[in-house]
Amino acid sequence: MTIQDLKAWNIRIAAAETERGGLNSLDLSRSVIALCGKLMELGVAELRWHDTVPSYTAAVAESKKRVVGEYFRDDMNTLPPSRFFGVTGHDETGRTVCTTANRYDDVAGWDLRDYIQRFWYRNYRAEGGGQARLAPTSVPFAAGLTGPFAYIGDTSVDPALAGSDVAAYLVRLCILGCYLEWRPANIYGWMARHHAAKGLPFRWGFPTVWPSGFIWDAAPENRAYSDLCFLLCPPQGVAIVANSPLDIGVAPDPANSKA
């Protein structure tokens, strides 16, 4: 597989650009190709680019995950192709074996804390009914963090590929994809605390991790959402991924790469 297999990146990275923050498209393209090759080694026979939510949703429906997460579902969001892309991996039969999705949000006038406070309640139901509601003092680490932002989420890996580090390489691929597509000021995501405690954020390419800052006036009925860690990748972090795309901080021995 080459980068030409990923729709919409082939033109963007075919020619070098003026360097921005130490990164240029040729350097990024080499890293993307390396990550595509690594995913193939790990059993992902094909990578598909989705620039519409329905296309991505259809691919997810053919996976063990089945359902697209709240940040990306059509019934909760309006995401045109200019603000969305998804990447799915497939085995030799075409079955979906890994997924991740990405969205772009330009929220000029708000910092990330304002933005989270304003949209979070729409996504989650509260215990006992109604909508989950954050307390005004929540997510203090996001105060003063400005955009535009790219969000990476909805990452899943088929049990058949468990322990292969497919998620780490796929998310790294999307970090570079977000930068190529949108040049965001910050890329962020969320991770359950028990996964973050294993060091997965650093393996995935997020150099900054904040433990949960959620304080709830009405907690979500799904307790998995009530204690998430915040992951951040600024442009300097993108450069680290671009310079060492396959360095996820573990020995090459597969026995040492299991999450």
Side-chain angles (χ1 to χ4, degrees):
M1 178 178 293
T2 69
I3 186 56
Q4 282 72 26
D5 295 312
L6 292 182
K7 180 186 174 185
W9 284 353
N10 51 352
I11 295 175
R12 288 177 176 84
I13 66 174
E17 295 180 348
T18 301
E19 290 193 4
R20 304 178 190 178
L23 295 171
N24 64 61
S25 290
L26 281 179
D27 290 338
L28 291 165
S29 70
R30 295 186 187 100
S31 299
V32 168
I33 291 169
L35 287 162
C36 290
K38 187 64 176 181
L39 287 165
M40 288 189 68
E41 290 177 15
L42 297 175
V44 180
E46 180 187 5
L47 288 168
R48 297 178 188 171
W49 170 284
H50 306 270
D51 59 7
T52 68
V53 173
S55 170
Y56 175 73
T57 299
V60 171
E62 299 299 321
S63 72
K64 296 285 187 180
K65 177 177 170 59
R66 300 291 184 191
V67 179
V68 173
E70 293 86 351
Y71 277 73
F72 302 100
R73 291 212 304 260
D74 266 342
D75 60 348
M76 293 183 171
N77 305 273
T78 302
L79 293 173
S82 63
R83 291 178 176 261
F84 170 84
F85 73 88
V87 177
T88 56
H90 304 262
D91 65 14
E92 292 181 352
T93 70
R95 186 172 64 94
T96 305
V97 293
C98 57
T99 72
T100 197
N102 310 265
R103 60 179 286 169
Y104 175 80
D105 293 301
D106 187 349
V107 294
W110 296 339
D111 62 15
L112 187 58
R113 182 176 180 178
D114 291 330
Y115 184 48
I116 291 170
Q117 290 279 2
R118 288 172 182 269
F119 83 82
W120 189 278
Y121 75 93
R122 301 176 188 170
N123 291 345
Y124 305 109
R125 303 296 297 173
E127 294 176 331
Q131 292 176 311
R133 188 171 64 257
L134 285 170
T137 52
S138 281
V139 291
F141 45 76
L145 192 62
T146 56
F149 301 102
Y151 169 75
I152 299 178
D154 221 41
T155 302
S156 70
V157 176
D158 191 274
L161 298 177
S164 64
D165 287 316
V166 163
Y169 295 115
L170 183 61
V171 172
R172 283 171 165 256
L173 182 67
C174 285
I175 285 174
L176 300 182
C178 286
Y179 194 81
L180 283 163
E181 283 289 295
W182 300 312
R183 293 296 197 271
N186 286 288
I187 300 171
Y188 74 101
W190 302 98
M191 182 178 285
R193 183 186 288 265
H194 66 279
H195 289 313
K198 299 175 184 178
L200 295 187
F202 306 107
R203 291 162 66 177
W204 287 19
F206 292 94
T208 301
V209 182
W210 283 90
S212 178
F214 292 129
I215 303 170
W216 295 96
D217 284 343
E221 60 183 358
N222 186 340
R223 290 301 183 93
Y225 296 137
S226 64
D227 189 23
L228 299 176
C229 294
F230 175 73
L231 318 181
L232 180 68
C233 183
Q236 299 92 326
V238 178
I240 292 171
V241 173
N243 291 334
S244 302
L246 303 184
D247 182 5
I248 60 172
V250 296
D253 182 351
N256 294 328
S257 64
K258 294 183 179 180

